Amino acid sequence: MTNVHISDYDCITCFGDGDGVLWKSLLAKECGFKQIRRFETKNYVNCVAACVAELDTIPHGQRFTALLEKLCRRNLCTDANTVLLTATTKDNIELHERYVRTSKRDSCNFSACSMADFLVKRLDIKCSAHNVNAACASASTAILWAAEMIENGEADEV
């Protein structure tokens, strides 16, 4: 069995940026669910969500890129030979929603790989990239997949 060493990670949540803020909020049993302000919810069963509040002021269709740019401001530990695995529960959900809600079915990029594709270009990674969308198990699944890739000799760094 390969030893797994996680050299870098980050999170941006409804509580704020970074694992410290997330951990403190979880220990304090804070609730991150708030009234949705980004779109009309009158026909929905639920009108609350755990949104990143600072994205509310960013126009629809640009929030996902803004979120990824915010993440890229950190000095992430990558090099050109890194295989990139990203993990999310929703990826670029706002573009999915726009596609479903409008008759204007434009050719916007809303594939499940759009986060990984964006980061490969932004971080200048030359190897492959994949996004894991497995609900709450996304991050754990990505870590397991990365360990298997290293153990099987498919990659030196993931």
Side-chain angles (χ1 to χ4, degrees):
M1 179 57 131
T2 300
N3 289 328
V4 175
H5 302 275
I6 299 173
S7 61
D8 201 359
Y9 67 95
D10 202 356
C11 61
I12 299 170
T13 72
C14 60
F15 298 115
D17 297 353
D19 62 327
V21 172
L22 175 60
W23 186 245
K24 180 180 174 188
S25 299
L26 293 173
L27 289 176
K29 298 181 181 177
E30 293 178 22
C31 179
F33 289 91
K34 306 278 189 256
Q35 182 75 32
I36 296 172
R37 297 179 302 268
R38 295 180 186 167
F39 54 86
E40 178 59 52
T41 60
K42 71 178 179 178
N43 294 324
Y44 290 170
V45 174
N46 199 335
C47 61
V48 297
C51 298
V52 177
E54 68 187 77
L55 296 178
D56 286 349
T57 60
I58 297 173
H60 188 70
Q62 297 173 20
R63 293 181 190 122
F64 189 66
T65 302
L67 186 65
L68 292 177
E69 281 296 341
K70 180 178 179 128
L71 186 64
C72 288
R73 286 186 202 134
R74 287 193 55 241
N75 186 20
L76 298 174
C77 297
T78 61
D79 67 33
N81 296 319
T82 299
V83 174
L84 178 67
L85 293 182
T86 58
T88 182
T89 56
K90 299 293 184 210
D91 198 18
N92 202 348
I93 194 69
E94 68 178 325
L95 295 182
H96 288 276
E97 184 237 342
R98 182 174 67 189
Y99 183 82
V100 170
R101 287 178 169 268
T102 66
S103 59
K104 194 170 92 178
R105 310 273 176 161
D106 60 18
S107 60
C108 64
N109 179 15
F110 64 89
S111 74
C113 298
S114 59
M115 180 167 68
D117 293 342
F118 176 90
L119 290 171
V120 160
K121 291 174 189 159
R122 179 68 169 72
L123 300 173
D124 197 29
I125 294 174
K126 305 297 183 214
C127 288
S128 62
H130 310 279
N131 188 57
V132 178
N133 282 307
C136 296
S138 298
S140 298
T141 302
I143 291 169
L144 176 63
W145 190 9
E148 288 176 344
M149 291 174 79
I150 292 169
E151 186 171 55
N152 294 332
E154 298 170 29
D156 292 327
E157 184 177 303
V158 183

